Amino acid sequence: MIRFFRRVLIAWLVGLILWLAGFTAWRLHTGWKFFFNAPAHGEILGVENGVAVRAYGWGDSQRGEFGLEYECVELVNRYYAQVLKYRNMAKMGHAESYFWDASPKGLVAYPNGGSVPPAVHDILVFDGGFEDGSVGHVAIVVGVDVANNTVTFIQQHSIATADVVFRRERWKDTVPLRFLDGKWFVAQGRYTTPVAGWSRPAPPAIQRSTP
């Protein structure tokens, strides 16, 4: 009887080891990394429209030309300056302000669930409300696929964690898009913060009228 239970235990341990090995291989194959092998601060994770998306690593951020390196806002400011030749919006507020206080930046904000759909180059703002106590999160829309109901965006300082071993930098991701009763909705998907809306540069006539 003891020999039987010993065999069962050995078989169970072998099965567990094989499962852990397969699970780890799958995690690594799909872009996850061990916590101790995380990208260095400033390491390039990907490039979109000629703009590098960089990792937010351990340690304090230094203030660069486009904001704190490499926060989500820094990418938005850098992308707009390099791709759209837009003015540098550094030191003009936290991520949430790109929606709730868009006008001083020369932007027009469109609410999630409104009649205006998101478009490429828009600033996608994740925030639960101007007084929710959060600074929010921003990303840049790089694709809107109405046929497949998705919005694709790039971002900095967004890290997915799994278990207690793995992490993955989500520098490029998608969330669901829905059109219902004449209104456009962008779901938060896997993110804990809802999408407040999206912002884009105001037409020149509106910008000239803004003091």
Side-chain angles (χ1 to χ4, degrees):
M1 182 64 70
I2 295 177
R3 187 173 297 176
F4 170 77
F5 281 113
R6 184 180 298 170
R7 290 176 179 175
V8 171
L9 178 60
I10 292 174
W12 181 83
L13 289 173
V14 170
L16 178 62
I17 292 171
L18 291 175
W19 180 85
L20 287 173
F23 179 77
T24 300
W26 171 74
R27 284 289 193 193
L28 297 175
H29 178 72
T30 54
W32 294 84
K33 292 186 177 182
F34 293 113
F35 268 98
F36 58 79
N37 193 34
H41 189 67
E43 181 178 331
I44 296 178
L45 302 172
V47 177
E48 190 74 27
N49 292 330
V51 177
V53 181
R54 297 181 178 272
Y56 183 87
W58 306 109
D60 296 330
S61 291
Q62 301 297 317
R63 182 167 292 280
E65 180 182 359
F66 300 103
L68 289 175
E69 300 173 339
Y70 291 95
E71 300 274 5
C72 59
V73 168
E74 191 269 346
L75 173 64
V76 167
N77 295 341
R78 183 158 45 88
Y79 184 97
Y80 261 47
Q82 294 178 2
V83 176
L84 302 185
K85 309 305 178 185
Y86 198 73
R87 60 173 170 156
N88 189 351
M89 296 179 285
K91 298 183 180 181
M92 295 189 70
H94 294 299
E96 62 177 2
S97 71
Y98 285 70
F99 181 78
W100 304 109
D101 197 24
S103 180
K105 301 176 183 65
L107 304 173
V108 176
Y110 298 96
N112 195 7
S115 59
V116 178
V120 172
H121 305 315
D122 279 0
I123 302 171
L124 194 65
V125 183
F126 293 80
D127 193 61
F130 190 65
E131 298 180 352
D132 69 344
S134 167
V135 297
H137 179 68
V138 285
I140 293 287
V141 177
V142 295
V144 178
D145 190 339
V146 176
N148 292 306
N149 302 313
T150 59
V151 172
T152 303
F153 55 91
I154 58 173
Q155 60 186 342
Q156 284 182 169
H157 199 188
S158 181
I159 303 169
T161 58
D163 315 309
V164 293
V165 180
F166 299 98
R167 59 174 269 160
R168 177 171 62 186
E169 300 277 349
R170 283 200 293 244
W171 73 273
K172 190 173 187 178
D173 208 353
T174 61
V175 287
L177 173 69
R178 184 165 57 108
F179 182 66
L180 181 65
D181 297 330
K183 299 183 183 301
W184 295 91
F185 298 89
V186 176
Q188 66 195 65
R190 72 186 78 191
Y191 295 86
T192 56
T193 306
V195 175
W198 38 92
S199 303
R200 66 184 63 148
I206 297 178
Q207 290 195 38
R208 284 197 297 269
S209 65
T210 302

